[in-house]
Amino acid sequence: MRIENDIKFDFDSKIIGYGFGYQDICLVPDKCVVPSRDICNVSKFLGEREFSLPVCPSNMKSVVDQETCIFCAENNIFYVMHRFDIDTLQFCKDMIDKNLFVSISIGINSADYDTLKKLKKEKICPEYITIDIANAWYDRVRSMIEYIKTNFPSSFLIAGNVATPKACLALQKWGASAIKIGIANGKVCITRHKTGFCIPMVSCLMACSSTITDIPIIADGGIVENGDIAKAICAGADFVMAGSLF
């Protein structure tokens, strides 16, 4: 099920004068075709691993810590460990010692390359690596994607965040396994207020998902209540990240 409308957005323009966030839309109920919601399967694949839910906590320091990651991994829920003030190498070792899958965040600075070099030296290849910066349509992200694809070829590589179809196409061309979409929609995000940049999430998802159809799209930001998750999926997301909800 997808959201349908005829509004087209000019993403080549410097300004978008309108757009829909989750609170601006409602879903239309259809005929029920299942005997009970208990039998509905909401599991979702990311790479070769199938997760029990299409939702995961945001990789923010205020949302996830090592305990959260362990809980998620033990319960077959996707997670991405944040990249701020942590020993990523030790985190990977701890998760491996518990026989749990490893999912980390990385930036694009020299310290991030040093972290990856340490992992490679220890022959640790995380199952999931997320390049996490404010605007991933950036040549330095392209360089990091190339580095990860060369040195960690079996890792499922998520790149973000972006907010336009052109940016999505660029990340896909550069080699991303999945794309994280959403700029300035988070409840605590100050980007819109400080810089003026933002595309409301529903409009953003509809435009990007109509362009990118063969790799997963992860909606990141703007989730306020449970129903927003359904709205995100109907707008084209394959997976949803949420912060304040957790």
Side-chain angles (χ1 to χ4, degrees):
M1 180 170 58
R2 297 176 64 85
I3 297 171
E4 303 287 348
N5 77 47
D6 296 325
I7 296 176
K8 305 298 181 184
F9 300 96
D10 180 10
F11 286 98
D12 291 324
S13 172
K14 297 298 182 185
I15 295 176
I16 180 169
Y18 50 85
F20 297 122
Y22 296 124
Q23 304 307 307
D24 300 315
I25 66 164
C26 294
L27 302 181
V28 178
D30 207 341
K31 179 183 179 181
C32 182
V33 295
V34 296
S36 170
R37 59 186 166 189
D38 292 336
I39 70 169
C40 294
N41 180 8
V42 295
S43 63
K44 198 74 178 179
F45 276 93
L46 274 182
E48 297 181 356
R49 187 179 292 269
E50 184 177 16
F51 295 99
S52 58
L53 296 171
V55 187
C56 66
S58 175
N59 57 314
M60 298 167 59
K61 189 176 180 180
S62 59
V63 178
V64 294
D65 55 17
Q66 186 160 332
E67 184 179 354
T68 307
C69 296
I70 291 171
F71 174 85
C72 288
E74 288 178 338
N75 289 276
N76 198 32
I77 299 170
F78 183 60
Y79 74 88
V80 180
M81 182 57 169
H82 69 79
R83 61 183 177 87
F84 303 103
D85 302 320
I86 71 159
D87 185 337
T88 300
L89 175 60
Q90 188 59 53
F91 170 77
C92 292
K93 289 180 177 180
D94 291 343
M95 297 301 282
I96 291 170
D97 288 344
K98 296 177 180 293
N99 198 30
L100 300 172
F101 75 92
V102 179
S103 177
I104 63 169
S105 300
I106 208 78
I108 55 172
N109 295 320
S110 58
D112 300 295
Y113 282 96
D114 290 341
T115 295
L116 292 173
K117 289 173 183 176
K118 292 177 183 177
L119 294 179
K120 188 172 177 63
K121 183 178 180 181
E122 296 285 337
K123 298 182 179 180
I124 294 174
C125 185
E127 285 90 336
Y128 296 89
I129 300 177
T130 296
I131 301 174
D132 175 43
I133 70 167
N135 180 6
W137 193 8
Y138 188 20
D139 284 339
R140 291 178 65 192
V141 171
R142 180 178 187 170
S143 298
M144 178 57 84
I145 289 175
E146 291 172 351
Y147 184 86
I148 293 172
K149 298 291 282 187
T150 298
N151 291 278
F152 302 89
S154 65
S155 293
F156 187 88
L157 176 57
I158 301 168
N161 285 23
V162 293
T164 66
K166 282 187 177 180
C168 290
L169 287 171
L171 293 187
Q172 183 181 28
K173 183 178 180 181
W174 296 346
S177 309
I179 300 172
K180 194 147 69 79
I181 289 178
I183 291 179
N185 284 277
K187 185 176 181 179
V188 299
C189 183
I190 61 173
T191 299
R192 180 173 183 171
H193 306 293
K194 294 292 186 181
T195 70
F197 290 103
C198 180
I199 297 176
M201 279 301 295
V202 173
S203 300
C204 179
L205 282 169
M206 290 172 63
C208 292
S209 64
S210 66
T211 303
I212 300 297
T213 59
D214 49 355
I215 63 173
I217 284 176
I218 301 172
D220 178 20
I223 300 294
V224 176
E225 48 196 25
N226 293 341
D228 294 339
I229 297 168
K231 294 176 184 180
I233 292 172
C234 287
D238 297 286
F239 231 87
V240 180
M241 263 192 172
S244 60
L245 195 67
F246 284 91

